[in-house]
Amino acid sequence: MYSQEKTPMKKPVCQERGGNARTERKSAATAKDFALRRVRGPDKVTRPYMKIVVLLGGPGSGKGTIATRLVAADRTFRHVSSGDLLREAVRLQTDAGREADGYMKRGELVPDELVAAMIREWMGRSGEGASTLLLDGFPRTVRQAEILDETAAGCGAELSAAVLLEVDDATLFDRIAGRRGCPGCGAGYHVTNIPPKREGVCDVCGSALVTRKDDSFETVRNRLEVYRNQTLPLIDFYRARGVLRRVAGTGPIEGSVDRVRCAI
């Protein structure tokens, strides 16, 4: 779901270290000290078996689309959105899933600690063979980020990067207005940027495409406001730890995918 505006990219993407794909590190030592590791004995350090990459960006910034492309190109990547995490845990009736189901049926927010428990369950259930976990939609607050740190340490994983997809508001509104989704298989489309082969019909399963209820102008404006209020402190949190990566999320999707791949 990308607008087709032109993005000047004269240098190879992996050589960019300023502007659209710059790496913000407080210092190499800080990033190294912050990396979470399991220690066995006084002088033996076990490297984490999985890296965790947090994807940040406003609604319509392309987090899910980019993560899906990365996974398709490299099967050692795993993509987990907070929504998928909840649905799978409930479907499998895990301990955390049963507890979360009660909150959702009452119309209450699922506690942060419970979401972290689902991440632990997921890593124990589905993490085998994965080298990088792409987290989409969690954390959204500094407290959630702190809980994720604790969860990663307990699982022997390492938070290696927080990638911020930078997209201006006008582009976000344009993308969201044209979004279409498949209720059958979950495939995503855009009427202009990622159109289906047949208008209104999913390429994968043939279901009729639908517009999400929360893609209205007013809803998106409110979601952007909430995103800014929650995420600005989170950006500072990751910047202080030397793991923040800023990546341009505009232009052709292939360019954005390449920039994210290089950033992580």
Side-chain angles (χ1 to χ4, degrees):
M1 296 174 232
Y2 283 79
S3 61
Q4 299 300 314
E5 61 185 84
K6 296 181 180 179
T7 301
M9 289 178 56
K10 296 182 180 179
K11 295 182 179 180
V13 174
C14 290
Q15 292 180 10
E16 295 183 8
R17 284 299 177 263
N20 291 341
R22 65 183 179 275
T23 300
E24 298 195 13
R25 289 186 174 89
K26 186 176 182 181
S27 68
T30 301
K32 183 177 180 180
D33 292 341
F34 180 68
L36 301 173
R37 296 173 173 85
R38 291 179 296 177
V39 179
R40 296 177 179 173
D43 52 5
K44 182 177 180 181
V45 177
T46 300
R47 292 285 180 177
Y49 73 93
M50 183 185 294
K51 296 189 300 182
I52 295 178
V53 174
V54 173
L55 300 175
L56 302 173
S61 59
K63 300 184 297 294
T65 302
I66 290 173
T68 300
R69 299 262 180 138
L70 290 171
V71 170
D74 186 343
R75 291 300 179 180
T76 65
F77 282 21
R78 298 288 191 276
H79 171 218
V80 178
S81 71
S82 55
D84 291 341
L85 198 69
L86 284 166
R87 286 187 288 272
E88 183 179 12
V90 171
R91 180 178 62 82
L92 295 176
Q93 284 295 284
T94 67
D95 291 341
R98 286 192 293 273
E99 189 174 350
D101 195 30
Y103 282 98
M104 291 187 291
K105 285 180 178 177
R106 294 191 297 271
E108 301 174 8
L109 291 175
V110 177
D112 296 340
E113 290 79 2
L114 197 52
V115 177
M118 290 184 211
I119 293 175
R120 285 194 295 272
E121 288 179 343
W122 182 92
M123 293 178 74
R125 180 176 66 249
S126 307
E128 185 177 353
S131 65
T132 303
L133 171 61
L134 305 171
L135 269 183
D136 170 8
F138 187 91
R140 293 183 179 179
T141 66
V142 170
R143 178 55 190 148
Q144 290 179 353
E146 292 169 343
I147 292 172
L148 178 60
D149 290 345
E150 298 163 5
T151 302
C155 295
E158 174 187 30
L159 177 66
S160 62
V163 178
L164 175 62
L165 291 167
E166 298 188 309
V167 184
D168 61 89
D169 286 0
T171 301
L172 289 177
F173 278 109
D174 177 67
R175 289 179 183 174
I176 292 172
R179 287 201 303 201
R180 300 294 183 270
C182 176
C185 66
Y189 299 88
H190 188 277
V191 293
T192 303
N193 303 324
I194 312 176
K197 295 176 182 177
R198 290 176 55 201
E199 183 177 354
V201 178
C202 177
D203 296 343
V204 180
C205 69
S207 298
L209 301 181
V210 298
T211 303
R212 286 169 41 174
K213 293 180 180 179
D214 58 353
D215 280 352
S216 68
F217 179 85
E218 283 300 322
T219 302
V220 172
R221 186 168 64 180
N222 291 336
R223 287 167 62 197
L224 278 172
E225 187 64 27
V226 171
Y227 164 76
R228 289 193 185 92
N229 291 336
Q230 290 182 339
T231 306
L232 285 179
L234 190 58
I235 291 170
D236 292 335
F237 177 87
Y238 284 127
R239 179 187 293 117
R241 283 155 176 76
V243 296
L244 182 68
R245 315 287 194 269
R246 291 181 180 271
V247 173
T250 54
I253 185 171
E254 294 80 7
S256 295
V257 172
D258 284 344
R259 288 191 288 275
V260 171
R261 183 184 292 112
C262 288
I264 63 179

mmCIF file of all heavy atoms in Angstrom, residues 191-212:
data_model
loop_
_atom_site.group_PDB
_atom_site.id
_atom_site.type_symbol
_atom_site.label_atom_id
_atom_site.label_comp_id
_atom_site.label_asym_id
_atom_site.label_seq_id
_atom_site.Cartn_x
_atom_site.Cartn_y
_atom_site.Cartn_z
ATOM 1 N N VAL A 191 -6.357 0.043 -4.039
ATOM 2 C CA VAL A 191 -7.004 0.223 -5.342
ATOM 3 C C VAL A 191 -6.049 0.788 -6.388
ATOM 4 O O VAL A 191 -6.221 0.536 -7.594
ATOM 5 C CB VAL A 191 -8.244 1.130 -5.219
ATOM 6 C CG1 VAL A 191 -9.330 0.447 -4.400
ATOM 7 C CG2 VAL A 191 -7.880 2.476 -4.604
ATOM 8 N N THR A 192 -5.031 1.535 -5.949
ATOM 9 C CA THR A 192 -4.080 2.122 -6.893
ATOM 10 C C THR A 192 -2.720 1.449 -6.855
ATOM 11 O O THR A 192 -2.173 1.087 -7.886
ATOM 12 C CB THR A 192 -3.881 3.628 -6.592
ATOM 13 O OG1 THR A 192 -5.142 4.291 -6.651
ATOM 14 C CG2 THR A 192 -2.918 4.250 -7.602
ATOM 15 N N ASN A 193 -2.184 1.253 -5.664
ATOM 16 C CA ASN A 193 -0.803 0.810 -5.528
ATOM 17 C C ASN A 193 -0.608 -0.697 -5.573
ATOM 18 O O ASN A 193 0.400 -1.183 -6.073
ATOM 19 C CB ASN A 193 -0.215 1.352 -4.217
ATOM 20 C CG ASN A 193 -0.304 2.864 -4.154
ATOM 21 O OD1 ASN A 193 -0.153 3.544 -5.163
ATOM 22 N ND2 ASN A 193 -0.577 3.390 -2.973
ATOM 23 N N ILE A 194 -1.572 -1.447 -5.013
ATOM 24 C CA ILE A 194 -1.489 -2.918 -5.068
ATOM 25 C C ILE A 194 -2.871 -3.447 -5.456
ATOM 26 O O ILE A 194 -3.570 -4.074 -4.657
ATOM 27 C CB ILE A 194 -1.052 -3.517 -3.719
ATOM 28 C CG1 ILE A 194 0.160 -2.785 -3.157
ATOM 29 C CG2 ILE A 194 -0.697 -5.002 -3.868
ATOM 30 C CD1 ILE A 194 0.585 -3.272 -1.786
ATOM 31 N N PRO A 195 -3.303 -3.205 -6.694
ATOM 32 C CA PRO A 195 -4.648 -3.627 -7.093
ATOM 33 C C PRO A 195 -4.717 -5.134 -7.348
ATOM 34 O O PRO A 195 -3.721 -5.750 -7.748
ATOM 35 C CB PRO A 195 -4.875 -2.849 -8.394
ATOM 36 C CG PRO A 195 -3.497 -2.681 -8.959
ATOM 37 C CD PRO A 195 -2.578 -2.515 -7.783
ATOM 38 N N PRO A 196 -5.881 -5.744 -7.116
ATOM 39 C CA PRO A 196 -6.052 -7.158 -7.473
ATOM 40 C C PRO A 196 -6.158 -7.306 -8.986
ATOM 41 O O PRO A 196 -6.400 -6.326 -9.701
ATOM 42 C CB PRO A 196 -7.373 -7.521 -6.790
ATOM 43 C CG PRO A 196 -8.124 -6.227 -6.755
ATOM 44 C CD PRO A 196 -7.096 -5.157 -6.534
ATOM 45 N N LYS A 197 -5.977 -8.507 -9.480
ATOM 46 C CA LYS A 197 -6.078 -8.746 -10.926
ATOM 47 C C LYS A 197 -7.488 -8.470 -11.423
ATOM 48 O O LYS A 197 -7.679 -7.950 -12.523
ATOM 49 C CB LYS A 197 -5.664 -10.181 -11.237
ATOM 50 C CG LYS A 197 -4.202 -10.471 -10.929
ATOM 51 C CD LYS A 197 -3.853 -11.930 -11.167
ATOM 52 C CE LYS A 197 -2.402 -12.212 -10.820
ATOM 53 N NZ LYS A 197 -2.061 -13.645 -10.975
ATOM 54 N N ARG A 198 -8.467 -8.859 -10.617
ATOM 55 C CA ARG A 198 -9.867 -8.547 -10.935
ATOM 56 C C ARG A 198 -10.385 -7.585 -9.883
ATOM 57 O O ARG A 198 -10.229 -7.824 -8.682
ATOM 58 C CB ARG A 198 -10.726 -9.815 -10.924
ATOM 59 C CG ARG A 198 -10.453 -10.767 -12.060
ATOM 60 C CD ARG A 198 -11.295 -12.027 -11.885
ATOM 61 N NE ARG A 198 -12.713 -11.699 -11.769
ATOM 62 C CZ ARG A 198 -13.614 -12.534 -11.211
ATOM 63 N NH1 ARG A 198 -13.240 -13.695 -10.724
ATOM 64 N NH2 ARG A 198 -14.889 -12.173 -11.150
ATOM 65 N N GLU A 199 -10.970 -6.499 -10.313
ATOM 66 C CA GLU A 199 -11.412 -5.473 -9.380
ATOM 67 C C GLU A 199 -12.379 -6.043 -8.345
ATOM 68 O O GLU A 199 -13.371 -6.698 -8.683
ATOM 69 C CB GLU A 199 -12.106 -4.328 -10.130
ATOM 70 C CG GLU A 199 -12.526 -3.173 -9.234
ATOM 71 C CD GLU A 199 -13.137 -2.028 -10.012
ATOM 72 O OE1 GLU A 199 -13.131 -2.081 -11.266
ATOM 73 O OE2 GLU A 199 -13.637 -1.080 -9.371
ATOM 74 N N GLY A 200 -12.040 -5.812 -7.066
ATOM 75 C CA GLY A 200 -12.916 -6.229 -5.982
ATOM 76 C C GLY A 200 -12.854 -7.689 -5.611
ATOM 77 O O GLY A 200 -13.620 -8.152 -4.760
ATOM 78 N N VAL A 201 -11.923 -8.452 -6.230
ATOM 79 C CA VAL A 201 -11.847 -9.892 -5.986
ATOM 80 C C VAL A 201 -10.429 -10.269 -5.564
ATOM 81 O O VAL A 201 -9.450 -9.848 -6.187
ATOM 82 C CB VAL A 201 -12.244 -10.704 -7.245
ATOM 83 C CG1 VAL A 201 -12.119 -12.206 -6.977
ATOM 84 C CG2 VAL A 201 -13.657 -10.350 -7.670
ATOM 85 N N CYS A 202 -10.308 -11.078 -4.524
ATOM 86 C CA CYS A 202 -9.002 -11.492 -4.016
ATOM 87 C C CYS A 202 -8.298 -12.416 -5.004
ATOM 88 O O CYS A 202 -8.902 -13.377 -5.515
ATOM 89 C CB CYS A 202 -9.162 -12.196 -2.666
ATOM 90 S SG CYS A 202 -7.613 -12.827 -1.982
ATOM 91 N N ASP A 203 -7.023 -12.137 -5.288
ATOM 92 C CA ASP A 203 -6.235 -12.977 -6.189
ATOM 93 C C ASP A 203 -6.001 -14.364 -5.615
ATOM 94 O O ASP A 203 -5.861 -15.338 -6.367
ATOM 95 C CB ASP A 203 -4.859 -12.341 -6.459
ATOM 96 C CG ASP A 203 -4.960 -11.018 -7.188
ATOM 97 O OD1 ASP A 203 -6.031 -10.736 -7.772
ATOM 98 O OD2 ASP A 203 -3.968 -10.261 -7.170
ATOM 99 N N VAL A 204 -5.953 -14.465 -4.296
ATOM 100 C CA VAL A 204 -5.556 -15.715 -3.648
ATOM 101 C C VAL A 204 -6.710 -16.697 -3.516
ATOM 102 O O VAL A 204 -6.595 -17.859 -3.918
ATOM 103 C CB VAL A 204 -4.958 -15.433 -2.244
ATOM 104 C CG1 VAL A 204 -4.552 -16.742 -1.565
ATOM 105 C CG2 VAL A 204 -3.772 -14.493 -2.354
ATOM 106 N N CYS A 205 -7.845 -16.223 -2.961
ATOM 107 C CA CYS A 205 -8.941 -17.166 -2.677
ATOM 108 C C CYS A 205 -10.253 -16.839 -3.382
ATOM 109 O O CYS A 205 -11.221 -17.591 -3.269
ATOM 110 C CB CYS A 205 -9.173 -17.258 -1.165
ATOM 111 S SG CYS A 205 -9.855 -15.752 -0.426
ATOM 112 N N GLY A 206 -10.309 -15.704 -4.088
ATOM 113 C CA GLY A 206 -11.508 -15.368 -4.852
ATOM 114 C C GLY A 206 -12.625 -14.713 -4.063
ATOM 115 O O GLY A 206 -13.715 -14.477 -4.600
ATOM 116 N N SER A 207 -12.373 -14.398 -2.797
ATOM 117 C CA SER A 207 -13.402 -13.744 -1.986
ATOM 118 C C SER A 207 -13.566 -12.284 -2.403
ATOM 119 O O SER A 207 -12.650 -11.674 -2.955
ATOM 120 C CB SER A 207 -13.032 -13.804 -0.502
ATOM 121 O OG SER A 207 -12.953 -15.141 -0.051
ATOM 122 N N ALA A 208 -14.738 -11.718 -2.109
ATOM 123 C CA ALA A 208 -14.984 -10.304 -2.390
ATOM 124 C C ALA A 208 -14.216 -9.451 -1.382
ATOM 125 O O ALA A 208 -14.255 -9.714 -0.175
ATOM 126 C CB ALA A 208 -16.472 -10.005 -2.313
ATOM 127 N N LEU A 209 -13.502 -8.434 -1.865
ATOM 128 C CA LEU A 209 -12.713 -7.572 -0.994
ATOM 129 C C LEU A 209 -13.609 -6.593 -0.252
ATOM 130 O O LEU A 209 -14.669 -6.199 -0.751
ATOM 131 C CB LEU A 209 -11.666 -6.818 -1.814
ATOM 132 C CG LEU A 209 -10.673 -7.691 -2.598
ATOM 133 C CD1 LEU A 209 -9.679 -6.818 -3.359
ATOM 134 C CD2 LEU A 209 -9.924 -8.632 -1.659
ATOM 135 N N VAL A 210 -13.167 -6.196 0.928
ATOM 136 C CA VAL A 210 -13.962 -5.299 1.755
ATOM 137 C C VAL A 210 -13.096 -4.136 2.248
ATOM 138 O O VAL A 210 -11.868 -4.202 2.230
ATOM 139 C CB VAL A 210 -14.568 -6.033 2.975
ATOM 140 C CG1 VAL A 210 -15.509 -7.133 2.530
ATOM 141 C CG2 VAL A 210 -13.463 -6.599 3.875
ATOM 142 N N THR A 211 -13.755 -3.071 2.679
ATOM 143 C CA THR A 211 -13.085 -1.936 3.312
ATOM 144 C C THR A 211 -13.248 -2.056 4.820
ATOM 145 O O THR A 211 -14.338 -2.331 5.305
ATOM 146 C CB THR A 211 -13.705 -0.604 2.847
ATOM 147 O OG1 THR A 211 -13.619 -0.523 1.422
ATOM 148 C CG2 THR A 211 -12.982 0.575 3.472
ATOM 149 N N ARG A 212 -12.147 -1.879 5.548
ATOM 150 C CA ARG A 212 -12.207 -1.970 6.998
ATOM 151 C C ARG A 212 -13.043 -0.841 7.584
ATOM 152 O O ARG A 212 -13.005 0.291 7.111
ATOM 153 C CB ARG A 212 -10.790 -1.925 7.586
ATOM 154 C CG ARG A 212 -10.022 -3.192 7.387
ATOM 155 C CD ARG A 212 -8.559 -3.058 7.736
ATOM 156 N NE ARG A 212 -8.306 -2.272 8.941
ATOM 157 C CZ ARG A 212 -7.094 -2.136 9.480
ATOM 158 N NH1 ARG A 212 -6.045 -2.726 8.922
ATOM 159 N NH2 ARG A 212 -6.926 -1.420 10.569
#
